[in-house]
Amino acid sequence: MSTETPAAPSTVEERPPSAPTSPAPERPAAPAVPTPTTSGPWAVSLIVLVTGMFMSVLDVSIVNVAIPAMQIDFGATTEDIQWVATSYSLALGVIVPASAWLGERIGLNRAYILSLLGFAAGSALCGLAWDLNSMIAFRILQAIPGGVIPVVALSMLYRIVPREKIGAAMGMYGLGIIVAPAVGPTLGGYLVEYVDWRLIFFINVPIGVVGAIAAVVLLPAFRGGVSHRFDLPGFLAIAAGLFSLLLALSEGESWGWGSYPVLILLTFGTLCLALFVVIELEVDHPLLDVRVFRFWPFTNSLILIAIISIGLFGVLFYIPVYLQQYQGMGAFDSGILLLPQAAVMAVMMPLAGRIYDRFGARWPAVIGLSVMAVGTYMLRGINLETSHTELQWLLAFRAGGIGLAMMPIMTNGLSAVPPENTSGASAFNNLVQRTSSAMGLAAMTALMTGQQAQGLSDMGGLMGSQAAPTTATAGGTAAATGGAGDTAAVLQSYTLDRTATGMVFTNAFDNLMLITAALSAVAVGFAFLLRKKSSPTGEKVMVEA
């Protein structure tokens, strides 16, 4: 169709007015959507949005630190207490797809304000939980507004900020997405060790209330009231699909990856997502317009965001385990060690946004992902003797690459989508971040568990072959020295066992980092396909299937 339009001017002069119907659905829509913004200082509105986003994302990582303390207070088993985190992830996966419709229905600013107040109320209830069941119920309530906040905030950002400043704005917005998970272990560790774990929930209450008041005063008004009905079949399909997949990934380790419940959930979830695509292509007003995947820059950005999320959250999960279990650090001390990488990201994010505004997404993404790949490869060399200073430098170097690449990639993808589809694209963006990190961590856990089991088995066989002479020596010593010999033998056995399990863990972690580095290197190739520089008028490059 687009190949016929150039021939029109050669016949009649009337053709140019009708020509915009084919190439320019983007040009008229672009100025129409951001109209609420230009009237006020967008930087102030951006701070309000970043605050809410930071609070909602921080809650995910900060709660993980408090789970052992909750387990003791509630008298729960290790398997049961994991539902504090699992229930939140499942509810989040269900509510995010409906967030875009909700923002359009009642107005983006109203949805944002109500979500902040709802999140504060849910956090207060979590802090008042009296047993495990009440905590799980309140975490589900907390997740409902928690899933709405990121989607609505990102949609508002694209309607508030001028096109030529979108890179700098996204750099600031990225502080909530990337820096909050890195700060969570430090803040959570301090509150758990020196104050009370309930404060990790109560701290959200004043932030949420103040943020809502600031939103009422400072955010521009966006009209809601979309006339089309809620796409209930599409919502049920994607909600059932994401719930099943996330449940299977969360419980696969305890239930067994080859067990019937996990396999049924994986199959059912995949079929539901396929049904969701069919429904969205057929209905007049889809819940999420899957046609946005026709725009290759947007699809490419989601692939790259998924790879970055897997690498980021995998390291954020396993490095604290390594520090606390095999180097004897407390939760707060291990969080302090991770703080420099958060500081590096906080510096790189706004800088990366300005680089994007000037040079586009390609080179920040290529350089950043290359640094991430090299830094991840260097992490494969850690062992039980690795110094904390060396580990901090490696993590900070790697964090610099993530901070440089993340926001240009996300901004480039969302800029390729027509403005009227920004809310749906924001929902897809948030879904990919959440589900890819969950799926990636589940895959990493399965790989780590399998390699550790094999390593311990091999280590046990090796130690078993040396057990006879050791036992004989220990027995002779015990006969000569009495009970002291038994104690020394037990201590020696405990030390050897702890060292052996530490060596097995670091070997498995090294292999995991090698795979993650290879995945990051593949992402560099995809980054070369990004646009060099964005058009100042907000034009998009569309590559349709």
Side-chain angles (χ1 to χ4, degrees):
M1 278 187 147
S2 58
T3 57
E4 297 175 14
T5 51
S10 64
T11 56
V12 189
E13 191 63 23
E14 300 171 26
R15 193 65 175 170
S18 61
T21 55
S22 96
E26 314 155 65
R27 281 187 185 268
V33 178
T35 46
T37 37
T38 47
S39 59
W42 61 266
V44 177
S45 299
L46 179 62
I47 293 173
V48 177
L49 296 178
V50 169
T51 302
M53 179 67 184
F54 191 92
M55 178 183 68
S56 67
V57 176
L58 177 69
D59 188 78
V60 177
S61 60
I62 200 174
V63 168
N64 291 336
V65 179
I67 282 181
M70 293 184 205
Q71 181 179 0
I72 295 172
D73 278 10
F74 293 149
T77 64
T78 302
E79 182 178 353
D80 290 341
I81 199 66
Q82 292 303 321
W83 278 95
V84 173
T86 302
S87 60
Y88 188 88
S89 298
L90 294 176
L92 213 63
V94 170
I95 196 62
V96 165
S99 302
W101 180 87
L102 180 65
E104 294 174 0
R105 182 69 176 178
I106 67 174
L108 290 173
N109 56 323
R110 187 177 298 173
Y112 183 72
I113 293 166
L114 292 176
S115 297
L116 286 178
L117 294 175
F119 192 82
S123 299
L125 290 173
C126 289
L128 296 172
W130 54 89
D131 60 12
L132 181 60
N133 291 332
S134 63
M135 173 60 78
I136 292 173
F138 294 150
R139 283 286 281 170
I140 293 173
L141 291 177
Q142 186 193 31
I144 295 173
V148 175
I149 290 173
V151 177
V152 172
L154 188 55
S155 300
M156 292 179 72
L157 182 148
Y158 263 78
R159 301 187 184 187
I160 288 175
V161 179
R163 284 282 174 180
E164 65 274 10
K165 299 292 185 182
I166 198 68
M170 286 293 288
M172 294 297 296
Y173 179 82
L175 295 176
I177 299 176
I178 300 296
V179 178
V183 172
T186 307
L187 180 59
Y190 175 80
L191 294 177
V192 170
E193 284 194 23
Y194 299 109
V195 191
D196 187 353
W197 65 262
R198 294 181 183 273
L199 198 61
I200 67 173
F201 294 110
F202 288 135
I203 200 173
N204 291 329
V205 177
I207 298 175
V209 172
V210 172
I213 295 173
V216 171
V217 176
L218 300 173
L219 290 182
F222 293 90
R223 288 188 307 170
V226 291
S227 56
H228 61 80
R229 292 189 305 171
F230 182 67
D231 177 19
L232 184 59
F235 173 74
L236 293 177
I238 193 171
L242 290 174
F243 183 90
S244 301
L245 289 178
L246 290 172
L247 180 59
L249 293 171
S250 301
E251 300 299 322
E253 188 61 35
S254 57
W255 293 352
W257 291 105
S259 64
Y260 282 116
V262 171
L263 293 177
I264 290 172
L265 284 172
L266 291 174
T267 304
F268 179 73
T270 304
L271 292 175
C272 284
L273 292 182
L275 177 62
F276 168 74
V277 173
V278 173
I279 292 173
E280 300 307 281
L281 290 174
E282 293 296 327
V283 297
D284 294 331
H285 301 287
L287 180 69
L288 295 174
D289 191 356
V290 295
R291 294 176 181 85
V292 295
F293 290 104
R294 294 181 303 165
F295 306 112
W296 168 246
F298 176 70
T299 304
N300 189 24
S301 72
L302 294 186
I303 295 172
L304 295 174
I305 288 169
I307 293 174
I308 293 175
S309 299
I310 291 170
L312 173 66
F313 287 95
V315 170
L316 285 177
F317 179 82
Y318 280 109
I319 290 294
V321 172
Y322 160 76
L323 292 172
Q324 293 176 36
Q325 293 190 6
Y326 303 109
Q327 291 206 343
M329 297 184 71
F332 177 62
D333 291 333
S334 62
I336 289 291
L337 192 144
L338 295 175
L339 205 53
Q341 71 169 344
V344 170
M345 290 185 197
V347 172
M348 290 303 300
M349 284 286 185
L351 180 61
R354 295 185 178 276
I355 293 174
Y356 170 84
D357 283 335
R358 185 166 182 180
F359 300 103
R362 179 182 297 177
W363 294 114
V366 168
I367 295 171
L369 287 169
S370 299
V371 170
M372 176 183 171
V374 172
T376 305
Y377 182 80
M378 294 170 68
L379 279 176
R380 68 181 293 273
I382 70 169
N383 51 53
L384 296 179
E385 286 75 40
T386 299
S387 68
H388 294 167
T389 302
E390 179 184 355
L391 184 59
Q392 280 182 318
W393 278 107
L394 288 175
L395 292 174
F397 174 73
R398 182 175 179 272
I402 295 175
L404 180 61
M406 184 71 168
M407 282 304 104
I409 290 171
M410 185 181 298
T411 308
N412 183 81
L414 290 172
S415 297
V417 176
E420 61 271 19
N421 296 120
T422 301
S423 294
S426 300
F428 276 125
N429 200 300
N430 195 265
L431 273 178
V432 167
Q433 291 177 48
R434 304 280 181 161
T435 56
S436 61
S437 58
M439 292 179 183
L441 187 57
M444 287 181 172
T445 302
L447 183 63
M448 283 284 291
T449 303
Q451 292 204 352
Q452 283 181 274
Q454 183 62 46
L456 287 173
S457 177
D458 295 343
M459 190 75 71
L462 180 63
M463 295 179 68
S465 63
Q466 301 173 353
T470 304
T471 304
T473 305
T477 306
T481 60
D486 292 335
T487 304
V490 169
L491 289 174
Q492 182 183 21
S493 174
Y494 174 79
T495 303
L496 287 173
D497 181 64
R498 184 175 178 82
T499 303
T501 55
M503 291 174 60
V504 168
F505 177 87
T506 54
N507 287 337
F509 181 79
D510 291 347
N511 293 333
L512 191 64
M513 290 300 99
L514 185 61
I515 295 172
T516 308
L519 194 61
S520 302
V522 172
V524 175
F526 281 95
F528 272 107
L529 301 177
L530 297 173
R531 288 177 287 167
K532 289 183 180 178
K533 193 175 192 307
S534 298
S535 167
T537 61
E539 286 185 12
K540 317 225 174 18
V541 176
M542 296 187 295
V543 180
E544 299 190 10

